[in-house]
């Protein structure tokens, strides 16, 4: 049985963001604490005992405390059911939580060579001793099976594929090749025993024909829900960038996620990586009703799904 726990559903900074006084963040701090959400990450397992994280958010420690499935086994001084972390990009949202896993427990990091190079170039990640924390490169369009700590198979196979996006913002301005692959990956995660599967795309700037063909008829898709409209941050006075310029498609609009994926027969659609500016977070908003009417779910942290 394929198990999925939504550790966090928010975009960078979470909800509320530490220095934001917008209406959503204010509501999350006061009358509507149910709006609070940590930064996007999943935990997945084929056996319920060994788990793999999809991205390690800056809120990872808080997420692990809140998730009993990821607690150390009773009676053991040092233990974790986490066998590995699969990174889909090199953004702070996806990698900063690795620093909360520095206490010497063995696990593996699976990432595109470009992201592994980013980790290697920043000496702070040397706190994860490579003798204990193995760094395993993954290739686009090559299925791999992450291993358990003793080297045995996990029962999962994972297919990374390229998604339209952009590189991590903190790397902007650094010398780099053009059209370089590996900036943004989507994942298909499958339980080998049951053949159940789902897709994970926490960042996506465009729904291409190739992506439509992949997702058509899928039983479950987690998809980029950063902004409701492309100019949302600008209109709200919270920033100067559009969703597209940050590598994220809008939920709404003719070329937005809701319209682009609406006719693909996806059984269950869940938005993830939702920014604090997004009005779809508000339960009574027109935007929330529109998303739900189109069959999309805005999830809460801690939600568990089985396939």
């Amino acid at each position: 049985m394929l198990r999925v726990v939504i550790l966090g559903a928010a975009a960078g900074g979470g909800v509320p963001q530490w220095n934001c006084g917008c209406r959503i963040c204010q509501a999350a701090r006061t009358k509507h604490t149910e709006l609070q959400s940590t930064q996007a990450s999943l935990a997945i397992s084929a056996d319920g005992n060994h788990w793999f994280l999809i991205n390690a958010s800056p809120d990872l420690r808080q997420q692990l405390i809140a998730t009993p499935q990821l607690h150390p086994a009773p009676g053991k001084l040092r233990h974790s059911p986490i066998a590995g972390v699969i990174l889909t990009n090199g953004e702070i949202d996806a990698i900063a939580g690795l620093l909360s896993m520095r206490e010497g427990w063995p696990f593996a990091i699976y990432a595109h060579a470009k992201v592994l190079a980013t980790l290697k170039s920043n000496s702070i990640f040397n706190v994860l001793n490579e003798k204990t924390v193995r760094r395993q490169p993954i290739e686009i369009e090559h299925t791999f099976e992450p291993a358990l700590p003793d080297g045995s198979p996990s029962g999962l196979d994972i297919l990374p594929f390229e998604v339209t996006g952009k590189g991590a913002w903190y790397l902007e301005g650094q010398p780099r090749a053009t059209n370089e692959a590996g900036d943004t990956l989507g994942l298909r995660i499958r339980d080998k025993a049951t053949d159940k599967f789902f897709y994970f795309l926490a960042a996506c700037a465009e729904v291409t024909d190739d992506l439509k063909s992949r997702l058509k008829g899928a039983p479950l898709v987690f998809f980029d829900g950063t902004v409701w409209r492309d100019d949302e941050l600008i209109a709200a006075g919270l920033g100067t960038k559009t969703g597209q310029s940050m590598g994220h498609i809008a939920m709404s609009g003719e070329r937005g996620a809701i319209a682009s994926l609406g006719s693909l027969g996806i059984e269950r659609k869940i938005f993830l990586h939702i920014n604090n500016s997004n009005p779809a977070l508000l339960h009574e908003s027109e935007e929330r009703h529109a998303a739900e009417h189109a069959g999309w779910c805005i999830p809460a942290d801690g939600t568990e799904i089985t396939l």
Side-chain angles (χ1 to χ4, degrees), residues 47 82 142 148 155 208 228 247 282-283 292 304:
D47 62 11
I82 298 172
H142 283 73
L148 302 183
T208 62
W228 177 258
L282 299 171
H283 295 278
E292 291 178 342
E304 182 169 4

Side-chain angles (χ1 to χ4, degrees), residues 89 104 159 176 220 288 296:
N89 59 64
L159 175 67
R176 55 185 297 177
L220 172 64
R288 178 64 161 262
W296 286 88

Side-chain angles (χ1 to χ4, degrees), residues 233-235 237-243 245-246:
L233 289 170
I234 299 170
L238 295 174
T240 60
K241 293 185 177 183
T242 63
S245 70
M246 296 185 294

Side-chain angles (χ1 to χ4, degrees), residues 8 18 34 65 71 75 93 112 124 131 150 165 169 172 193 198 205 224 232 237-238 242 247 265-267 285 297-298:
W18 71 280
E34 73 278 4
I65 291 171
H71 291 178
D93 303 13
H112 190 275
I124 195 171
K131 293 180 180 179
D150 64 0
W169 67 267
E172 289 181 1
F198 71 93
D224 185 352
E232 181 173 293
L238 295 174
T242 63
I266 300 168
E267 294 179 27
S285 68
C297 173
I298 309 293

Side-chain angles (χ1 to χ4, degrees), residues 123-169:
S123 60
I124 195 171
F125 288 100
N126 292 341
V127 72
L128 299 169
N129 190 324
E130 292 191 46
K131 293 180 180 179
T132 304
V133 180
R134 182 169 54 90
R135 302 184 185 187
Q136 179 65 45
I138 60 177
E139 297 182 43
I140 294 170
E141 302 294 352
H142 283 73
T143 301
F144 70 96
E145 181 172 6
L148 302 183
D150 64 0
S152 60
S154 64
L156 297 168
D157 73 27
I158 299 177
L159 175 67
F161 56 92
E162 195 164 9
V163 177
T164 304
K166 64 172 302 189
W169 67 267

Side-chain angles (χ1 to χ4, degrees), residues 164 202-207 223-233 242-261 271-275 277-280 287 291 296:
T164 304
C204 179
E206 180 186 10
V207 177
F223 197 82
D224 185 352
T226 305
V227 294
W228 177 258
R229 48 183 273 192
D230 189 50
D231 65 347
E232 181 173 293
L233 289 170
T242 63
Q244 281 287 308
S245 70
M246 296 185 294
H248 298 287
I249 191 172
M251 288 184 181
S252 67
E254 293 182 4
R255 298 177 62 84
I258 292 174
S260 297
L261 302 179
F271 278 125
L272 207 64
H273 197 269
I274 307 167
N275 199 55
S277 60
N278 193 326
E287 293 84 356
W296 286 88

Side-chain angles (χ1 to χ4, degrees), residues 23-296:
R23 60 173 179 152
I24 294 173
C25 288
Q26 289 283 45
R29 291 188 186 97
T30 54
K31 296 181 180 180
H32 294 284
T33 55
E34 73 278 4
L35 295 174
Q36 293 181 10
S37 182
T38 59
Q39 294 166 87
S41 177
L42 300 184
I44 59 173
S45 176
D47 62 11
N49 296 314
H50 302 91
W51 292 81
F52 293 85
L53 306 182
I54 302 180
N55 294 334
S57 90
D59 298 318
L60 182 60
R61 179 180 174 276
Q62 177 183 346
Q63 292 168 342
L64 298 187
I65 291 171
T67 308
Q69 300 93 320
L70 303 181
H71 291 178
K76 294 189 177 182
L77 289 177
R78 285 289 187 190
H79 171 263
S80 174
I82 298 172
V85 181
I86 301 147
L87 302 177
T88 63
N89 59 64
E91 290 283 5
I92 295 296
D93 303 13
I95 66 174
L98 292 171
L99 299 176
S100 295
M101 303 176 74
R102 62 186 184 274
E103 279 75 26
W105 184 257
F107 66 94
I109 299 172
Y110 299 88
H112 190 275
K114 182 176 181 180
V115 174
L116 292 180
T118 297
L119 299 181
K120 191 172 184 65
S121 68
N122 191 327
S123 60
I124 195 171
F125 288 100
N126 292 341
V127 72
L128 299 169
N129 190 324
E130 292 191 46
K131 293 180 180 179
T132 304
V133 180
R134 182 169 54 90
R135 302 184 185 187
Q136 179 65 45
I138 60 177
E139 297 182 43
I140 294 170
E141 302 294 352
H142 283 73
T143 301
F144 70 96
E145 181 172 6
L148 302 183
D150 64 0
S152 60
S154 64
L156 297 168
D157 73 27
I158 299 177
L159 175 67
F161 56 92
E162 195 164 9
V163 177
T164 304
K166 64 172 302 189
W169 67 267
Y170 62 88
L171 297 176
E172 289 181 1
Q174 295 189 18
R176 55 185 297 177
T178 57
N179 301 320
E180 191 171 1
D183 280 332
T184 307
L185 298 182
L187 302 175
R188 186 199 67 195
I189 296 98
R190 184 177 73 92
D191 183 336
K192 296 179 70 174
T194 65
D195 204 35
K196 299 292 185 180
F197 68 96
F198 71 93
Y199 285 93
F200 174 90
L201 299 95
C204 179
E206 180 186 10
V207 177
T208 62
D209 288 341
D210 175 72
L211 183 57
K212 288 181 181 180
S213 67
R214 288 182 190 272
L215 303 185
K216 187 174 183 179
L220 172 64
V221 172
F222 292 95
F223 197 82
D224 185 352
T226 305
V227 294
W228 177 258
R229 48 183 273 192
D230 189 50
D231 65 347
E232 181 173 293
L233 289 170
I234 299 170
L238 295 174
T240 60
K241 293 185 177 183
T242 63
Q244 281 287 308
S245 70
M246 296 185 294
H248 298 287
I249 191 172
M251 288 184 181
S252 67
E254 293 182 4
R255 298 177 62 84
I258 292 174
S260 297
L261 302 179
S263 63
L264 301 184
I266 300 168
E267 294 179 27
R268 191 169 185 181
K269 299 175 287 190
I270 300 177
F271 278 125
L272 207 64
H273 197 269
I274 307 167
N275 199 55
N276 64 301
S277 60
N278 193 326
L281 287 171
L282 299 171
H283 295 278
E284 300 305 320
S285 68
E286 293 181 5
E287 293 84 356
R288 178 64 161 262
H289 291 318
E292 291 178 342
H293 181 73
W296 286 88

